[in-house]
Structure formats: structure tokens, C-alpha cells
Amino acid sequence: MKKTTIKLWKMLVCVFLFGAVFSSCEKEENLSESEENLATDLQEPPFKNYMVISESSDLTKSVENSLKTSGSEIVSSIPEIGISIVSSKDVNFIENTMKKKNINAVVPDYEIAWIPTSKGIEANLPEATPSIGSTEPYYFYDYLWGLEAIDAPDAWNAGFTGSGANVFVLDSGIDAEHVELAPNLNTSLSASFVPGEDWNVLESTPFDNHGTHVAGTIAAAQNGLGLIGVAPHAELVAVKVLSEFTGSGAFSSINAGIVYAGENSADVINMSLGVTLNKNGKLIDANGDPYKIPAKYVMEIVNAQQKAIDYAYKKGSTIIASAGNDGVNYDGNSAYIKLPGGLNNVVTVSATAPEGYDWTADYTNFDIPSSYTTHGKSLVDIAAPGGDGDVALDDMILSTGNNNSLFWSAGTSMAAPHVSGVAALIIAKNGGDMNPQEVTKQIEKTADKVDGNGQSTFFGKGRINAYRAVTE
């Protein structure tokens, strides 16, 4: 039984992660001919299995039968997009398998960090007497500045709270017993694609569980216990694709989670995760650790994940992902591509922060680009509060943690769930009768143009505005 007393934690190290996205309007994603020189001592990331990609989804079963007869073990399958995850002791597995019929590609199923490790420290905040919004103590005390920045309270007051919409959180699991999340969590649909780990995080897992924090920003319940999410009446579904202990996962786990969400009628898919690939085979994980993989595998990995994205998109899922925390301007850096970020049919989110937030002040500028945020007109679609820790911890995003804790964190990981919450508000308002392209258009059309009327380097089409999104 998990604890029921709410504790509040502050992060000393921000939860940063890489990941940026091309939107549904088909952004350019070709890799340039210019290549970086790779260090010869870079290691290949670990892998246990292979992704065998069939020429079509209809041929998946035939391919798997062929592999079984050759002594390979089918670990799992994503037949909707023609991918099989296979275990084999054959040192020449790739070469031998490519000789078989109906196979398009075979690549190692690399396991890498999609979200970084982090540390936190306990802190105490004053208690408040409960007095939608003002009944939540930490909103009442103005700690949830991100909600103010996007005008979420005005959206609630207008009657829009996300009721009837769902958000699938592809991450490191969720604390199912958290008092702020349990009322909105669909436990029957929640699932894990991480071998040996349940989607419900263990009590022994550190408080700063990434997926739990992301979920709280999206849809912490309106219950008077402390927090409130952007869409406090929306349904949450936990889809574990990363280890709660390491933040690592296989490419196939991400792909399987995306397809699962699409197949189960996800209105919104939130992916606060990502990695960076280069045409020449360089891979940089979320902790900034470089690896080297054969260059021929890069586009096969990219194409496989694009298949998963396209599948969910066609099923009606609006897909939101973080832009990344490497602080790089991706204009002119076309040799790099981010997953799931550098793919079509996904909305890219950069991060904003307050200009030295002071909850006692009458006014604070919330629209300062975060010091770490990845940016570029060719990459970023929209901006949202992600916080920053270079001035004060209160400049970060307060949300839920494991074992009923709360903690502060910062990153584009924290910005993306603000957008997912707004997407849920839009979809709920329209009774679910909107396709992803329409949802994306509404998000961008109603964003506040804080940096001109065009495509901004740091803000894309602007900073999201929840109230305008459901009233205009």
C-alpha cells in the first residue's frame, strides 16, 4: 500500500530530455550530405533483440513463421506496421535473415536512454485552506504559474475541463495510487511494453518518476488536494515504454506503444522523450551520451517509427512531443533528426519560462525562451511552459511524483504535457469529432503571437492559449 500523505519535492537537477517533432504539415526531414567525424572509440548501444521489418503488414505472419523454422524466437510483434521483434543467437542473423522472402530490413533493437536521470530534494510548502482552480492549495498560492501563462483558468471558467477526452502518456509509467491522478486514470487500458516492468511504478521507485510528473501537468484531478492539471477532467492512460529505473528503452517499445495507443482510440498521445540521430550513424541519447551505429540502420529506424506515428495519426490520435533540451538551433542542422521528433504528423513543443518568477508580484513575463530549449523555425511548431532552474526553483514546473509526492522539474518534457492538455480541451469541446490535423490547426491558430505573426525561432506559431483554443 502506497503512502497517502502528500509530500512536496524540489528538483536540483532538471529533468531534461531530447525529442523534437515535425508537424502534420509535412516538414522537411531530409538529412544533408555534411557529416560529422565520429570518434573511433564510440561504442554501439546495447541490444538483445532485432527488429525485422516486413515488406508489408500483411506479410508479418508469414515472415514470423519463416523465422521460427530457422530457430529464432519471436519476442513480440507489431503486425499493424509489419514489425517483429526477434531474439537469435546467430551472429550472422541480419545477413542470413535478409536473404529470406518478404523482408524489407533487419536492424538491432537498440536500448538507449530516452529520458535522463535526475535527482531531487525534499521541500516544504505552506498549507492552504481549500477556498475549479482556487480550491487547489498550490494553485491558490500561485505555484502553478504554467496554468496562468496559458490562460487555463479562463478555459475552466468557460466550462471546458477535458471531460470526454483521453490522453495516452507514453513514458516511464505512472503512480496509479497517486491521489491527484487516480480519479482520472484508466487502469484497464494502461499497459507496459517494457519487459519485466508493470505500468504502475513500484513504491521503491524514486519520487521523481518522469511519467508521473508529465501526467499531473496534463490531468491532475480537481479534488482540492493540491494540484490541478490543464485538463482536470480528462482521462489518463499510462503506456510504459521506458524503464522507470533508467529512462531507457528499445526503439521497438516506443513503436509498440504508439501503435497500441492508436489502436485503442487515443485522442492525444504525449511523448516527452526522444533521441538524436545523424545520417553518418552517430546517436546521442537523452543523457548526452554518444554512440555509433552503422549508418545504414539510421533511416531504417527512422522509417519504422514513422510507420508507427502514421498508424496512430490515421486512427485519429493527435501526437505531441517535446522539442528537446540541447539548446541547438536546428535551422541549418539538417544532418540531424530527432525521434520521435523529426517525423511528420507530430507537434513539436519548445519550452518557455518566467522572467524570475515572483508569486507575490502582480505581473511576471512568462514568455522567456527556456535557456536549454531546442529551437528553430524548421523544427518548432508551438511553445508552452517548461520552466527553467537557472534563476529560482519556483521557475520550474510543479507536478506529481511517485508515492503521492510532488516535485519541481524543468524541460521540454514539461512543456509538451501543457499542449497535450490543451489538445484534450479542444477535443472534448467538440465531442471527439475532430481529426488530428484540425486539432493541430486550432492549437496553432489560437496561440498567442508573443514573437511576431509568423513562424518564430523559439515559439513556432506562438505560445499556447487554452482559453482561446476553446472559445475561438
Side-chain angles (χ1 to χ4, degrees):
M1 190 100 179
K2 296 191 176 181
K3 300 174 185 177
T4 57
T5 302
I6 293 183
K7 291 184 177 180
L8 189 65
W9 303 74
K10 284 188 178 181
M11 295 298 294
L12 289 183
V13 181
C14 300
V15 178
F16 287 163
L17 63 102
F18 296 94
V21 274
F22 290 97
S23 76
S24 57
C25 59
E26 300 251 338
K27 292 186 182 176
E28 189 174 321
E29 58 173 286
N30 59 302
L31 303 178
S32 74
E33 293 301 323
S34 62
E35 300 179 353
E36 289 186 351
N37 293 322
L38 291 175
T40 57
D41 59 349
L42 286 182
Q43 300 296 309
E44 187 175 22
F47 68 93
K48 301 174 184 176
N49 304 314
Y50 299 88
M51 283 195 296
V52 178
I53 305 169
S54 303
E55 291 179 347
S56 73
S57 58
D58 295 336
L59 296 171
T60 304
K61 194 65 177 178
S62 173
V63 167
E64 290 182 352
N65 289 336
S66 174
L67 291 170
K68 288 177 183 177
T69 61
S70 62
S72 301
E73 177 186 355
I74 309 301
V75 176
S76 60
S77 181
I78 318 174
E80 296 88 348
I81 56 174
I83 294 179
S84 304
I85 295 83
V86 182
S87 174
S88 176
K89 295 181 180 179
D90 182 2
V91 294
N92 297 313
F93 177 78
I94 294 177
E95 179 182 356
N96 291 336
T97 303
M98 283 300 297
K99 296 176 181 178
K100 296 180 179 293
K101 292 181 179 179
N102 305 323
I103 292 175
N104 187 54
V106 182
V107 296
D109 191 17
Y110 298 115
E111 298 182 11
I112 59 173
W114 295 74
I115 56 175
T117 55
S118 58
K119 296 179 181 179
I121 188 172
E122 186 175 10
N124 296 313
L125 284 180
E127 295 184 0
T129 302
S131 57
I132 199 158
S134 61
T135 63
E136 303 294 341
Y138 300 124
Y139 172 82
F140 179 79
Y141 275 112
D142 288 334
Y143 287 108
L144 306 182
W145 61 266
L147 302 179
E148 291 287 348
I150 67 171
D151 290 340
D154 290 333
W156 306 332
N157 292 339
F160 303 104
T161 59
S163 179
N166 64 49
V167 181
F168 282 56
V169 182
L170 272 61
D171 215 293
S172 59
I174 289 178
D175 177 4
E177 287 76 39
H178 200 296
V179 294
E180 297 282 12
L181 302 178
N184 291 334
L185 187 60
N186 185 325
T187 58
S188 62
L189 269 184
S190 294
S192 175
F193 293 90
V194 178
E197 294 188 26
D198 190 73
W199 63 266
N200 184 7
V201 298
L202 296 173
E203 185 174 355
S204 58
T205 295
F207 67 88
D208 51 339
N209 176 258
H210 191 269
T212 301
H213 193 280
V214 167
T217 297
I218 297 168
Q222 178 198 353
N223 55 15
L225 294 176
L227 294 182
I228 187 168
V230 176
H233 292 162
E235 180 180 85
L236 291 166
V237 179
V239 181
K240 188 181 223 180
V241 295
L242 305 174
S243 170
E244 65 191 78
F245 306 108
T246 65
S248 298
F251 281 95
S252 65
S253 295
I254 309 295
N255 297 342
I258 295 168
V259 170
Y260 176 82
E263 186 65 20
N264 285 277
S265 303
D267 292 320
V268 184
I269 298 174
N270 187 93
M271 289 191 287
S272 291
L273 51 84
V275 296
T276 304
L277 295 171
N278 188 288
K279 180 182 177 181
N280 62 17
K282 187 175 183 179
L283 181 158
I284 303 173
D285 73 8
N287 289 321
D289 296 328
Y291 292 101
K292 181 179 181 180
I293 65 176
K296 63 182 179 180
Y297 295 154
V298 171
M299 292 316 298
E300 298 298 347
I301 290 172
V302 169
N303 291 337
Q305 196 151 102
Q306 184 67 68
K307 285 184 178 180
I309 293 289
D310 290 346
Y311 181 86
Y313 184 82
K314 290 176 182 177
K315 286 286 186 177
S317 301
T318 299
I319 304 164
I320 313 294
S322 50
N325 308 310
D326 47 18
V328 173
N329 184 343
Y330 267 70
D331 294 339
N333 282 282
S334 59
Y336 287 92
I337 187 170
K338 294 207 172 193
L339 296 183
L343 302 177
N344 294 320
N345 299 327
V346 188
V347 179
T348 316
V349 187
S350 64
T352 61
E355 189 174 25
Y357 181 53
D358 179 0
W359 63 272
T360 65
D362 291 333
Y363 174 78
T364 298
N365 182 0
F366 297 121
D367 294 324
I368 304 299
S370 298
S371 61
Y372 53 80
T373 190
T374 302
H375 51 284
K377 293 181 179 181
S378 60
L379 185 65
V380 173
D381 291 305
I382 207 75
D388 217 333
D390 61 344
V391 177
L393 290 177
D394 290 354
D395 286 1
M396 301 166 82
I397 302 299
L398 179 64
S399 189
T400 45
N402 196 29
N403 294 327
N404 279 312
S405 66
L406 308 176
F407 69 98
W408 269 285
S409 189
T412 54
S413 288
M414 287 66 247
H418 282 85
V419 179
S420 292
V422 171
L425 296 179
I426 294 169
I427 292 167
K429 175 195 174 181
N430 291 277
D433 188 25
M434 292 185 77
N435 62 46
Q437 185 176 11
E438 291 170 329
V439 176
T440 300
K441 183 178 180 180
Q442 184 66 7
I443 289 172
E444 295 179 349
K445 182 180 71 172
T446 60
D448 287 339
K449 312 301 182 185
V450 296
D451 186 27
N453 292 321
Q455 186 81 5
S456 164
T457 299
F458 282 96
F459 297 90
K461 295 294 177 59
R463 190 254 306 121
I464 57 167
N465 186 303
Y467 176 70
R468 293 182 60 199
V470 292
T471 58
E472 294 185 7

